[in-house]
């Protein structure tokens, strides 16, 4: 019977090491059952699970590898693996795999410890840990700093909701976000991303800004907050707020537009998505006047929002056509998926308010971005710590592959 051996080597990284190691094994007729390699700060770590043709070759292989390791200042270790242990390892590959994504301004040992403790407590095994973000400089963090580590975990997860809750509790106690996804073929095969506009793509609620111009800011802001928290029906609250804008001159829209700020990471996110061939959409309960400006600036493919009625250069306090509320957003999301010829699992939806929940639940990946508490609780994924471009990490896209 063949012997199974685990060979691990570590030490200073040098060009051609893997080629030389595998050439030695090839010279002894060794089969490689598994291989893994990583380099951290110029230090190599490589593991090879190998099958020896017969027991007599084990000593010869070990001597050759030992001699090679000494000549290259590497540490070499050997460990026999039982057939039973190997069979158990093979069977494990049929278990479900999950991706846990840790997002923060800076990754700390405490964050890693807490996350890995949760993984352990739910009897899951970590197969791989990958840093998706670029290297973080020492000292004071630069503006817009972002860090991401991705954990690939495997095992039989009896209660995914409890696992997610445990991760969210950890995220709430630390300056971090934690996302949990099942690792399926769809994760890296999304094709359409739909965004809410107000407080998602831009850092404001436009209707509140217009209300300030109209001198009814406090009244409208209070209604907006209650609607976003899900305390009021969106359609009726929206009509009530728009009615308060009656008499506002059309020029006020331009004044508001000039002071609106694009959300952190939005331009980078959209540039990368378009570079990678994604289609993008705005599905907004806000107004087309502002959404169309964003379409031009960010290259958005589709825009659906509400049209503010204006007569003789003055806002009438009415809306033209069907109001884009939560149900309408979900319907538009499905319509766009069908139009693009893709499955809803290939769709990402991003929003912050209660009226975004229907489309977040329809999408294969629904992300609550800097959202109200109700939305964070109900959405599958939530990002509060970083900018919008953190969504790229949820797709497994590292910094090196971003525009």
């Amino acid at each position: 019977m063949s012997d199974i051996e685990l060979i691990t080597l570590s030490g200073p990284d040098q060009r051609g090491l893997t080629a030389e190691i595998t050439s030695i094994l090839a010279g002894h007729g060794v089969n490689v059952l598994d291989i893994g390699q990583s380099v951290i700060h110029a230090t190599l770590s490589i593991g090879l699970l190998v099958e020896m043709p017969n027991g007599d070759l084990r000593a010869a292989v070990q001597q050759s590898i030992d001699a090679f390791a000494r000549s290259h200042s590497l540490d070499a270790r050997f460990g026999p693996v039982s057939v039973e242990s190997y069979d158990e390892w093979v069977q494990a590959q049929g278990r479900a795999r999950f991706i846990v994504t840790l997002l923060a301004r800076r990754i700390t040992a405490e964050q890693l410890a807490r996350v890995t403790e949760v993984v352990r407590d739910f009897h899951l095994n970590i197969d791989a840990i990958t840093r998706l973000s670029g290297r973080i400089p020492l000292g004071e963090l630069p503006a817009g700093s972002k860090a991401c580590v991705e954990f690939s975990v495997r095992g039989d997860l009896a209660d995914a909701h409890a696992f997610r809750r445990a991760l969210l509790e950890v995220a709430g106690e630390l300056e971090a976000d934690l996302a949990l996804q099942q690792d399926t073929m769809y994760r890296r095969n999304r094709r359409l991303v739909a965004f809410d506009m107000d407080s998602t793509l831009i850092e404001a609620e436009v209707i509140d800004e217009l209300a300030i111009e109209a001198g009814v800011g406090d009244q409208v802001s209070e209604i907006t907050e209650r609607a976003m928290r899900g305390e009021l029906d969106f359609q009726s609250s929206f009509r009530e707020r728009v009615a308060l804008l009656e008499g506002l001159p059309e020029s006020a829209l331009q004044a508001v537009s000039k002071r609106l700020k694009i959300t952190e990471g939005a331009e980078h996110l959209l540039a990368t998505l378009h570079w990678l061939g994604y289609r993008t959409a705005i599905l907004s309960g806000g107004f087309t006047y502002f959404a169309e400006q964003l379409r031009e600036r960010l290259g958005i493919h589709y825009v659906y929002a509400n049209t503010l009625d204006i007569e003789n250069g003055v806002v009438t306090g009415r809306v033209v056509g069907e109001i884009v509320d939560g149900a309408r957003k979900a319907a538009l999301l499905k319509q766009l998926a069908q139009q693009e010829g893709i499955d809803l699992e290939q769709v990402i939806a991003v929003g912050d308010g209660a009226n975004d929940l229907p489309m977040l639940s329809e999408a294969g990946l629904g992300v609550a971005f800097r959202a109200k508490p109700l939305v964070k609780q109900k959405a599958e994924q939530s990002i509060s710590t970083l900018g919008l471009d953190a969504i790229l990490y949820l797709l497994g896209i590292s910094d090196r592959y971003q525009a």
Side-chain angles (χ1 to χ4, degrees):
M1 176 178 278
S2 300
D3 292 329
I4 302 173
E5 190 88 18
L6 177 61
I7 304 171
T8 58
L9 297 102
S10 61
D13 188 29
Q14 302 156 59
R15 183 177 288 109
L17 285 180
T18 306
E20 294 186 58
I21 294 166
T22 51
S23 293
I24 291 171
L25 297 176
H28 289 281
V30 172
N31 293 325
V32 177
L33 302 171
D34 194 20
I35 183 171
Q37 176 177 317
S38 65
V39 177
I40 299 179
H41 198 62
T43 298
L44 170 77
S45 178
I46 182 170
L48 301 106
L49 188 65
V50 301
E51 180 185 22
M52 310 291 192
N54 60 66
D56 295 337
L57 279 178
R58 180 177 176 181
V61 171
Q62 185 168 341
Q63 288 173 3
S64 298
I65 293 293
D66 273 335
F68 171 79
R70 286 193 301 271
S71 68
H72 289 78
S73 302
L74 300 173
D75 176 51
R77 297 187 180 186
F78 302 82
V81 176
S82 69
V83 173
E84 293 76 17
S85 176
Y86 178 76
D87 287 342
E88 183 179 346
W89 175 76
V90 170
Q91 293 299 319
Q93 68 184 353
R95 296 177 184 171
R97 187 191 298 273
F98 300 89
I99 300 295
V100 178
T101 308
L102 169 61
L103 304 161
R105 295 296 180 185
R106 185 198 297 273
I107 301 298
T108 69
E110 182 181 10
Q111 292 165 349
L112 296 172
R114 295 289 301 280
V115 172
T116 52
E117 285 169 3
V118 173
V119 172
R120 176 201 62 196
D121 292 345
F122 279 81
H123 309 291
L124 300 172
N125 291 323
I126 298 174
D127 285 345
I129 302 176
T130 306
R131 176 174 54 83
L132 297 182
S133 54
R135 296 168 182 174
I136 301 296
L138 294 173
E140 186 176 349
L141 292 176
S145 173
K146 54 185 181 179
C148 175
V149 171
E150 177 184 282
F151 303 82
S152 176
V153 303
R154 188 193 297 272
D156 298 321
L157 187 56
D159 191 340
H161 292 292
F163 185 44
R164 190 185 302 277
R165 283 197 305 272
L167 291 173
L168 290 178
E169 286 177 12
V170 169
E173 295 169 11
L174 305 171
E175 295 181 1
D177 290 315
L178 285 166
L180 171 67
Q181 303 175 67
Q182 187 156 3
D183 194 7
T184 69
M185 67 176 184
Y186 289 113
R187 181 174 177 249
R188 297 176 188 270
N189 191 31
R190 316 285 188 189
R191 304 310 311 151
L192 171 68
V193 188
F195 298 92
D196 175 43
M197 180 175 66
D198 295 22
S199 296
T200 300
L201 283 176
I202 56 176
E203 295 181 347
E205 291 289 332
V206 168
I207 196 167
D208 291 349
E209 298 298 316
L210 292 174
I212 292 172
E213 296 289 323
V216 291
D218 290 341
Q219 294 169 262
V220 169
S221 181
E222 191 273 336
I223 299 171
T224 298
E225 272 298 308
R226 293 179 65 194
M228 292 299 99
R229 291 196 302 265
E231 298 173 7
L232 296 174
D233 168 72
F234 181 83
Q235 286 222 17
S236 58
S237 68
F238 184 69
R239 292 186 188 279
E240 183 180 351
R241 285 175 287 168
V242 171
L244 290 170
L245 301 179
E246 183 180 359
L248 183 69
E250 186 176 7
S251 59
L253 276 68
Q254 185 176 6
V256 168
S257 177
K258 288 180 178 179
R259 67 174 183 257
L260 294 177
K261 292 183 179 180
I262 300 291
T263 299
E264 175 194 353
E267 290 177 295
H268 177 226
L269 171 62
L270 269 297
T272 300
L273 290 174
H274 294 151
W275 180 56
L276 294 173
Y278 284 73
R279 304 287 282 178
T280 54
I282 290 175
L283 305 181
S284 173
F287 300 112
T288 54
Y289 178 91
F290 304 95
E292 288 293 345
Q293 291 184 345
L294 278 179
R295 180 212 289 264
E296 184 175 347
R297 178 170 176 177
L298 300 176
I300 304 287
H301 297 102
Y302 302 101
V303 166
Y304 293 90
N306 298 303
T307 301
L308 196 58
D309 187 44
I310 298 175
E311 293 181 1
N312 301 318
V314 176
V315 173
T316 67
R318 299 187 297 273
V319 179
V320 178
E322 185 178 358
I323 289 178
V324 179
D325 60 3
R328 178 71 174 146
K329 287 185 179 186
L332 287 167
L333 192 78
K334 290 188 276 190
Q335 175 185 312
L336 288 175
Q338 185 176 21
Q339 185 174 324
E340 290 290 331
I342 60 176
D343 192 281
L344 277 171
E345 283 291 335
Q346 296 176 276
V347 177
I348 302 168
V350 189
D352 72 297
N355 64 319
D356 295 312
L357 281 171
M359 75 170 181
L360 297 187
S361 63
E362 289 288 351
L365 176 63
V367 181
F369 179 73
R370 297 180 182 176
K372 311 300 183 290
L374 172 70
V375 183
K376 290 180 68 172
Q377 291 171 12
K378 293 190 175 183
E380 287 291 305
Q381 313 298 343
S382 175
I383 295 175
S384 300
T385 304
L386 302 183
L388 265 179
D389 52 352
I391 290 170
L392 296 170
Y393 294 140
L394 300 187
L395 305 180
I397 302 172
S398 68
D399 281 359
R400 72 180 65 183
Y401 299 119
Q402 297 180 22

